[in-house]
């Protein structure tokens, strides 16, 4: 089966993109593909903001990320994009901080890179 890397480029308000990415990941795992990591870039780093408060009738974005993490998928965010957007890189929850160069090296070692914007 294939090894995949996923990148997400849109913020927490883009529910359709997040849900589409999550459905893709779940379908890929079901077909025994490996998800090497999900990399948050551009406005997607805002998903790592630990101070987002959502009402109970909204999509619970953090629950999606916790579930993906519990499936053993590495969740990484671009340090430069995070710092530009005021994210505290010492408090990123289930996400680890990574550089764009690290992401580029990982892309070279997988079969496919899939982007969600």
């Amino acid at each position: 089966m294939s090894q995949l890397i996923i990148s997400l480029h849109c913020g927490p308000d883009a529910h359709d993109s997040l849900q589409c990415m999550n459905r893709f990941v779940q379908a890929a795992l079901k077909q025994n593909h490996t998800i090497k990591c999900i990399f948050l870039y551009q406005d997607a780093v805002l998903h790592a903001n630990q101070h987002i408060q959502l009402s109970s009738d909204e999509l619970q974005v953090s629950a999606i990320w916790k579930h993906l993490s519990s499936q053993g998928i590495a969740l990484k965010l671009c340090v430069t994009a995070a710092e530009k957007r005021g994210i505290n890189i010492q408090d990123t929850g289930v996400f680890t901080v990574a550089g764009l160069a690290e992401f580029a090296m990982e892309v070279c070692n997988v079969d496919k890179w899939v982007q969600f914007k």
Side-chain angles (χ1 to χ4, degrees), residues 32-52:
N32 295 319
H33 296 292
T34 302
I35 306 296
K36 177 108 176 167
C37 81
I38 298 173
F39 187 77
L40 306 184
Y41 190 57
Q42 297 170 328
D43 283 344
V45 299
L46 296 171
H47 286 271
N49 183 344
Q50 298 300 296
H51 304 290
I52 293 176

Side-chain angles (χ1 to χ4, degrees), residues 29 34-37 65-75:
L29 292 174
T34 302
I35 306 296
K36 177 108 176 167
C37 81
W65 292 116
K66 286 177 186 170
H67 182 254
L68 291 166
S69 177
S70 75
Q71 291 179 292
I73 299 171
L75 304 175

Side-chain angles (χ1 to χ4, degrees), residues 1-6 19-38 68 71 73 112-114 116:
M1 292 290 128
S2 298
Q3 275 200 334
L4 309 172
I5 201 163
I6 308 292
Q19 289 176 311
C20 185
M21 183 213 66
N22 187 41
R23 285 192 302 271
F24 178 87
V25 167
Q26 298 310 318
L29 292 174
K30 196 174 215 177
Q31 294 179 10
N32 295 319
H33 296 292
T34 302
I35 306 296
K36 177 108 176 167
C37 81
I38 298 173
L68 291 166
Q71 291 179 292
I73 299 171
K112 294 193 187 283
W113 168 21
V114 182
F116 291 87

Side-chain angles (χ1 to χ4, degrees), residues 33-117:
H33 296 292
T34 302
I35 306 296
K36 177 108 176 167
C37 81
I38 298 173
F39 187 77
L40 306 184
Y41 190 57
Q42 297 170 328
D43 283 344
V45 299
L46 296 171
H47 286 271
N49 183 344
Q50 298 300 296
H51 304 290
I52 293 176
Q53 304 242 332
L54 300 171
S55 62
S56 61
D57 63 340
E58 290 187 65
L59 178 66
Q60 297 303 303
V61 173
S62 63
I64 292 172
W65 292 116
K66 286 177 186 170
H67 182 254
L68 291 166
S69 177
S70 75
Q71 291 179 292
I73 299 171
L75 304 175
K76 300 182 179 187
L77 64 111
C78 178
V79 63
T80 304
E83 287 177 335
K84 282 183 181 178
R85 289 161 177 82
I87 300 297
N88 178 357
I89 60 170
Q90 304 300 320
D91 182 23
T92 59
V94 296
F95 302 96
T96 57
V97 176
L100 199 51
E102 179 183 337
F103 172 68
M105 289 188 308
E106 289 200 30
V107 167
C108 292
N109 295 318
V110 296
D111 301 307
K112 294 193 187 283
W113 168 21
V114 182
Q115 297 181 47
F116 291 87
K117 295 184 175 190

